[in-house]
Amino acid sequence: MNQVSDIVNFVIATELEQFKQDFDIASIPFSQDIRSLAIEWLCYYCRENVSDENKNAIVTFVNEIMETNDYNTVGWSRIPALLAASFVLTEDEYYIEGLLNNLACHQSSNRGFICKALSIICNMLSFYDENFKFSVETNLRKRHMMDDISVIMLLNSNGEHQAKEKWLKEICEIEPFKSNVFLTDLRSGKPYKRDFFQSTLNEVKSHILFSILKNSYSYNNQANLFSDNKRVFPKTLKLFCDNHPLDRTDFEFKLNQE
């Protein structure tokens, strides 16, 4: 476990520093997105291993960005994954209020990245959050790209099955949604295939593992990190590939038959 904590904090610190250096690049590169998602994933899966120093660094940076004058026009679209990471580390819903609202934003690329960030922490999200539901319903109403993804996230969030069943039944009775094949199929229990979540999680895990391997020389040659010059063992790497509830391609919603 000591090696896990060392690696987690080394990767977070390295990725966060690079993220800060590249923050102002005009068109947000994929490297920034995957870097911040990796930080979020490590905070989510290895929360107990994250050092106070890294926790403070992430939250302080996010707070600073949120206080900038151009946050509502530019900054918000650059840090969705770090906002989610801050929520994981602090359990303060302040950090995901904007994410849940912007889940229904007009820009498809931003909406897609927000879906990725929220996917990682899906089971920490509350099904009963009205902003969450409103954004999902807005996506459906406006036929936004990723509307199906937001529905799947909502139905896999933290809440009772009966409440989800009630919401799905009610939404299917609303006029704009009666002809929505995706919703009616879900309600009937038909499986729905979508590789969005699995592809996202595989990208994030691959980036983390590549980062570990790429920096293995640095890990193994820091006296304070591994006093016995130990290498990174496959058993340790396996800990960074935990199963995720959305790590699949088939989704279905079973209604109670009572």
Side-chain angles (χ1 to χ4, degrees), residues 130-143:
E130 291 304 319
N131 290 330
F132 191 8
K133 286 183 181 176
F134 181 78
S135 288
V136 171
E137 292 172 13
T138 298
N139 284 336
L140 287 169
R141 188 172 292 107
K142 295 184 176 182
R143 298 188 177 184

Side-chain angles (χ1 to χ4, degrees), residues 10 212-223 225-226:
F10 188 94
I212 293 172
L213 295 173
K214 180 181 70 174
N215 294 290
S216 60
Y217 180 84
S218 299
Y219 296 137
N220 296 327
N221 287 276
Q222 293 189 34
L225 208 54
F226 299 120

